[in-house]
Amino acid sequence: MVVRDFQAGNEENLLLWTGETVYVSDNDGEGWLYGFFLDPEDPDDGGWFPVDAVEFMEEAIEEPEQQADDTWDQWTAAEPEELPQWGQEEVPELPDWGNEGAPAEPADP
């Protein structure tokens, strides 16, 4: 989340206004981040801005992980009421598909 405005005249910089949400995709390690907005009209819009112009929203990252962990803790396997018993069903008779007069076994090559 943007915590202070940043409007530099350089074409490589991203213009920021306080309160906006920007997605960070790179960190040069020297105090500058590369980020972009999710704008369907301009998918290539992105640029550099100072790291102190944004505050990371760590709560948003941690919450889904906790939710996924909680889901597994609450899950229990259910036993089916009756398991299938193989070999107890009768195999139905297959219809004759017009193979009258055909050899019972294929010829050896």
Side-chain angles (χ1 to χ4, degrees), residues 36-84:
F36 57 95
F37 301 107
L38 293 181
D39 183 359
E41 294 178 12
D42 192 3
D44 296 325
D45 185 26
W48 293 95
F49 52 89
V51 70
D52 65 348
V54 296
E55 182 178 289
F56 288 96
M57 299 170 43
E58 293 180 26
E59 305 84 42
I61 296 170
E62 291 175 12
E63 189 174 325
E65 290 176 12
Q66 288 177 340
Q67 185 179 12
D69 291 343
D70 292 347
T71 302
W72 283 110
D73 291 340
Q74 295 170 5
W75 182 82
T76 57
E79 290 291 329
E81 292 178 20
E82 185 177 317
L83 295 173

Side-chain angles (χ1 to χ4, degrees), residues 15-32:
L15 303 179
L16 303 176
W17 286 268
T18 304
E20 291 182 308
T21 300
V22 63
Y23 298 90
V24 177
S25 62
D26 197 9
N27 182 344
D28 73 353
E30 297 180 13
W32 289 86

